Amino acid sequence: LDKPGDTLNFDVSMNTHSVDLGMDLSTLATLTTDTGLSIQAAKWEAPGGGHHADGTLSFPALKDGKSILDGAKQLTLTISKIDNATGTFTWDLSAK
């Protein structure tokens, strides 16, 4: 996040024995800032499915021509609807 390019990329690893993880995470993931911006993921690059998934989840770095990180002190990644659960991951951007 210190040097964002065209996208903000997150390495994601999931393991379970209850569901097939072959879904497209880009349709299930949003990135939100404490400044009120929210964006949908643009791409999920991961091989296959099954009970273990490792891949890269990418979000556009810009919204309406402005970096989504401008002025943000907190960033939250939310992944919904995986076996009726929601995963929420938050980063404090002010602690650099």
Side-chain angles (χ1 to χ4, degrees), residues 47-72:
H51 297 292
H52 310 285
D54 293 299
T56 302
L57 186 60
S58 300
F59 293 84
L62 301 175
K63 184 172 183 176
D64 300 327
K66 179 181 172 187
S67 170
I68 66 158
L69 298 177
D70 283 353

mmCIF file of all heavy atoms in Angstrom, residues 47-72:
data_model
loop_
_atom_site.group_PDB
_atom_site.id
_atom_site.type_symbol
_atom_site.label_atom_id
_atom_site.label_comp_id
_atom_site.label_asym_id
_atom_site.label_seq_id
_atom_site.Cartn_x
_atom_site.Cartn_y
_atom_site.Cartn_z
ATOM 1 N N PRO A 47 -5.917 -20.280 -9.039
ATOM 2 C CA PRO A 47 -6.137 -21.526 -9.775
ATOM 3 C C PRO A 47 -7.247 -22.368 -9.156
ATOM 4 O O PRO A 47 -7.365 -22.433 -7.941
ATOM 5 C CB PRO A 47 -4.790 -22.246 -9.653
ATOM 6 C CG PRO A 47 -4.185 -21.704 -8.406
ATOM 7 C CD PRO A 47 -4.688 -20.301 -8.266
ATOM 8 N N GLY A 48 -8.063 -22.952 -10.008
ATOM 9 C CA GLY A 48 -9.058 -23.946 -9.612
ATOM 10 C C GLY A 48 -9.951 -23.634 -8.441
ATOM 11 O O GLY A 48 -10.245 -22.501 -8.147
ATOM 12 N N GLY A 49 -10.366 -24.681 -7.778
ATOM 13 C CA GLY A 49 -11.259 -24.563 -6.640
ATOM 14 C C GLY A 49 -10.888 -25.587 -5.598
ATOM 15 O O GLY A 49 -9.727 -25.799 -5.321
ATOM 16 N N GLY A 50 -11.884 -26.211 -5.041
ATOM 17 C CA GLY A 50 -11.636 -27.202 -4.003
ATOM 18 C C GLY A 50 -11.724 -26.587 -2.626
ATOM 19 O O GLY A 50 -12.442 -25.618 -2.409
ATOM 20 N N HIS A 51 -10.986 -27.158 -1.691
ATOM 21 C CA HIS A 51 -11.061 -26.723 -0.299
ATOM 22 C C HIS A 51 -9.910 -25.804 0.107
ATOM 23 O O HIS A 51 -9.834 -25.377 1.255
ATOM 24 C CB HIS A 51 -11.091 -27.935 0.622
ATOM 25 C CG HIS A 51 -12.309 -28.781 0.408
ATOM 26 N ND1 HIS A 51 -13.565 -28.359 0.737
ATOM 27 C CD2 HIS A 51 -12.451 -30.024 -0.128
ATOM 28 C CE1 HIS A 51 -14.437 -29.292 0.425
ATOM 29 N NE2 HIS A 51 -13.786 -30.313 -0.110
ATOM 30 N N HIS A 52 -9.026 -25.505 -0.841
ATOM 31 C CA HIS A 52 -7.888 -24.621 -0.568
ATOM 32 C C HIS A 52 -7.752 -23.660 -1.743
ATOM 33 O O HIS A 52 -7.744 -24.090 -2.889
ATOM 34 C CB HIS A 52 -6.600 -25.426 -0.401
ATOM 35 C CG HIS A 52 -6.753 -26.563 0.559
ATOM 36 N ND1 HIS A 52 -6.805 -26.384 1.922
ATOM 37 C CD2 HIS A 52 -6.913 -27.889 0.343
ATOM 38 C CE1 HIS A 52 -6.975 -27.554 2.509
ATOM 39 N NE2 HIS A 52 -7.050 -28.494 1.573
ATOM 40 N N ALA A 53 -7.659 -22.375 -1.461
ATOM 41 C CA ALA A 53 -7.519 -21.382 -2.520
ATOM 42 C C ALA A 53 -6.468 -20.357 -2.125
ATOM 43 O O ALA A 53 -6.477 -19.847 -1.005
ATOM 44 C CB ALA A 53 -8.854 -20.689 -2.777
ATOM 45 N N ASP A 54 -5.567 -20.085 -3.043
ATOM 46 C CA ASP A 54 -4.555 -19.058 -2.877
ATOM 47 C C ASP A 54 -4.564 -18.215 -4.143
ATOM 48 O O ASP A 54 -4.501 -18.764 -5.244
ATOM 49 C CB ASP A 54 -3.157 -19.667 -2.713
ATOM 50 C CG ASP A 54 -3.021 -20.438 -1.417
ATOM 51 O OD1 ASP A 54 -3.185 -19.818 -0.358
ATOM 52 O OD2 ASP A 54 -2.744 -21.649 -1.478
ATOM 53 N N GLY A 55 -4.624 -16.906 -3.985
ATOM 54 C CA GLY A 55 -4.634 -16.062 -5.160
ATOM 55 C C GLY A 55 -4.466 -14.604 -4.817
ATOM 56 O O GLY A 55 -4.223 -14.229 -3.669
ATOM 57 N N THR A 56 -4.625 -13.774 -5.847
ATOM 58 C CA THR A 56 -4.498 -12.331 -5.709
ATOM 59 C C THR A 56 -5.838 -11.678 -6.005
ATOM 60 O O THR A 56 -6.421 -11.904 -7.065
ATOM 61 C CB THR A 56 -3.423 -11.789 -6.671
ATOM 62 O OG1 THR A 56 -2.181 -12.433 -6.384
ATOM 63 C CG2 THR A 56 -3.260 -10.284 -6.508
ATOM 64 N N LEU A 57 -6.287 -10.876 -5.061
ATOM 65 C CA LEU A 57 -7.529 -10.124 -5.187
ATOM 66 C C LEU A 57 -7.149 -8.676 -5.469
ATOM 67 O O LEU A 57 -6.418 -8.060 -4.690
ATOM 68 C CB LEU A 57 -8.333 -10.241 -3.887
ATOM 69 C CG LEU A 57 -9.723 -9.652 -3.843
ATOM 70 C CD1 LEU A 57 -10.633 -10.284 -4.891
ATOM 71 C CD2 LEU A 57 -10.319 -9.830 -2.455
ATOM 72 N N SER A 58 -7.608 -8.137 -6.597
ATOM 73 C CA SER A 58 -7.214 -6.792 -7.025
ATOM 74 C C SER A 58 -8.394 -5.828 -7.043
ATOM 75 O O SER A 58 -9.497 -6.182 -7.459
ATOM 76 C CB SER A 58 -6.617 -6.847 -8.431
ATOM 77 O OG SER A 58 -5.490 -7.677 -8.460
ATOM 78 N N PHE A 59 -8.113 -4.599 -6.609
ATOM 79 C CA PHE A 59 -9.082 -3.511 -6.593
ATOM 80 C C PHE A 59 -8.513 -2.331 -7.368
ATOM 81 O O PHE A 59 -7.295 -2.096 -7.323
ATOM 82 C CB PHE A 59 -9.340 -3.038 -5.150
ATOM 83 C CG PHE A 59 -10.030 -4.039 -4.293
ATOM 84 C CD1 PHE A 59 -9.309 -5.024 -3.648
ATOM 85 C CD2 PHE A 59 -11.405 -4.005 -4.131
ATOM 86 C CE1 PHE A 59 -9.935 -5.960 -2.843
ATOM 87 C CE2 PHE A 59 -12.041 -4.941 -3.331
ATOM 88 C CZ PHE A 59 -11.311 -5.916 -2.688
ATOM 89 N N PRO A 60 -9.355 -1.549 -8.037
ATOM 90 C CA PRO A 60 -8.849 -0.334 -8.674
ATOM 91 C C PRO A 60 -8.294 0.608 -7.605
ATOM 92 O O PRO A 60 -8.875 0.741 -6.531
ATOM 93 C CB PRO A 60 -10.091 0.284 -9.328
ATOM 94 C CG PRO A 60 -11.149 -0.761 -9.289
ATOM 95 C CD PRO A 60 -10.785 -1.734 -8.220
ATOM 96 N N ALA A 61 -7.159 1.238 -7.883
ATOM 97 C CA ALA A 61 -6.547 2.167 -6.930
ATOM 98 C C ALA A 61 -7.203 3.545 -6.983
ATOM 99 O O ALA A 61 -7.036 4.344 -6.068
ATOM 100 C CB ALA A 61 -5.059 2.293 -7.202
ATOM 101 N N LEU A 62 -7.962 3.808 -8.061
ATOM 102 C CA LEU A 62 -8.602 5.114 -8.242
ATOM 103 C C LEU A 62 -10.111 4.978 -8.297
ATOM 104 O O LEU A 62 -10.643 3.998 -8.805
ATOM 105 C CB LEU A 62 -8.138 5.764 -9.542
ATOM 106 C CG LEU A 62 -6.650 6.013 -9.717
ATOM 107 C CD1 LEU A 62 -6.368 6.562 -11.114
ATOM 108 C CD2 LEU A 62 -6.126 6.968 -8.660
ATOM 109 N N LYS A 63 -10.788 5.983 -7.773
ATOM 110 C CA LYS A 63 -12.237 6.101 -7.921
ATOM 111 C C LYS A 63 -12.531 7.552 -8.265
ATOM 112 O O LYS A 63 -12.102 8.455 -7.551
ATOM 113 C CB LYS A 63 -12.970 5.696 -6.641
ATOM 114 C CG LYS A 63 -14.479 5.730 -6.812
ATOM 115 C CD LYS A 63 -15.201 5.140 -5.628
ATOM 116 C CE LYS A 63 -16.699 5.142 -5.895
ATOM 117 N NZ LYS A 63 -17.427 4.504 -4.806
ATOM 118 N N ASP A 64 -13.201 7.760 -9.380
ATOM 119 C CA ASP A 64 -13.494 9.103 -9.875
ATOM 120 C C ASP A 64 -12.206 9.912 -10.035
ATOM 121 O O ASP A 64 -12.161 11.105 -9.736
ATOM 122 C CB ASP A 64 -14.473 9.830 -8.954
ATOM 123 C CG ASP A 64 -15.802 9.098 -8.823
ATOM 124 O OD1 ASP A 64 -16.231 8.458 -9.804
ATOM 125 O OD2 ASP A 64 -16.404 9.152 -7.734
ATOM 126 N N GLY A 65 -11.125 9.252 -10.490
ATOM 127 C CA GLY A 65 -9.857 9.911 -10.750
ATOM 128 C C GLY A 65 -9.013 10.224 -9.527
ATOM 129 O O GLY A 65 -7.958 10.838 -9.637
ATOM 130 N N LYS A 66 -9.440 9.801 -8.364
ATOM 131 C CA LYS A 66 -8.728 10.103 -7.118
ATOM 132 C C LYS A 66 -8.315 8.793 -6.447
ATOM 133 O O LYS A 66 -9.079 7.827 -6.427
ATOM 134 C CB LYS A 66 -9.659 10.897 -6.198
ATOM 135 C CG LYS A 66 -9.059 11.265 -4.874
ATOM 136 C CD LYS A 66 -10.057 12.037 -4.017
ATOM 137 C CE LYS A 66 -9.514 12.221 -2.621
ATOM 138 N NZ LYS A 66 -10.459 12.801 -1.706
ATOM 139 N N SER A 67 -7.117 8.782 -5.874
ATOM 140 C CA SER A 67 -6.652 7.594 -5.156
ATOM 141 C C SER A 67 -7.587 7.310 -3.985
ATOM 142 O O SER A 67 -7.915 8.225 -3.219
ATOM 143 C CB SER A 67 -5.235 7.803 -4.626
ATOM 144 O OG SER A 67 -4.884 6.736 -3.748
ATOM 145 N N ILE A 68 -8.000 6.068 -3.848
ATOM 146 C CA ILE A 68 -8.901 5.742 -2.739
ATOM 147 C C ILE A 68 -8.195 5.833 -1.395
ATOM 148 O O ILE A 68 -8.836 5.904 -0.358
ATOM 149 C CB ILE A 68 -9.561 4.361 -2.908
ATOM 150 C CG1 ILE A 68 -8.536 3.250 -2.830
ATOM 151 C CG2 ILE A 68 -10.362 4.282 -4.190
ATOM 152 C CD1 ILE A 68 -9.157 1.934 -2.466
ATOM 153 N N LEU A 69 -6.861 5.875 -1.418
ATOM 154 C CA LEU A 69 -6.103 5.969 -0.172
ATOM 155 C C LEU A 69 -5.915 7.405 0.306
ATOM 156 O O LEU A 69 -5.528 7.618 1.458
ATOM 157 C CB LEU A 69 -4.736 5.305 -0.341
ATOM 158 C CG LEU A 69 -4.752 3.810 -0.665
ATOM 159 C CD1 LEU A 69 -3.333 3.299 -0.876
ATOM 160 C CD2 LEU A 69 -5.465 3.025 0.415
ATOM 161 N N ASP A 70 -6.186 8.407 -0.557
ATOM 162 C CA ASP A 70 -6.013 9.813 -0.170
ATOM 163 C C ASP A 70 -6.842 10.161 1.065
ATOM 164 O O ASP A 70 -8.061 10.035 1.056
ATOM 165 C CB ASP A 70 -6.401 10.760 -1.310
ATOM 166 C CG ASP A 70 -5.345 10.845 -2.397
ATOM 167 O OD1 ASP A 70 -4.255 10.270 -2.207
ATOM 168 O OD2 ASP A 70 -5.621 11.467 -3.436
ATOM 169 N N GLY A 71 -6.167 10.551 2.119
ATOM 170 C CA GLY A 71 -6.832 10.965 3.346
ATOM 171 C C GLY A 71 -7.334 9.826 4.219
ATOM 172 O O GLY A 71 -7.852 10.053 5.306
ATOM 173 N N ALA A 72 -7.190 8.595 3.752
ATOM 174 C CA ALA A 72 -7.697 7.444 4.517
ATOM 175 C C ALA A 72 -6.750 7.094 5.653
ATOM 176 O O ALA A 72 -5.538 7.091 5.491
ATOM 177 C CB ALA A 72 -7.887 6.240 3.612
#
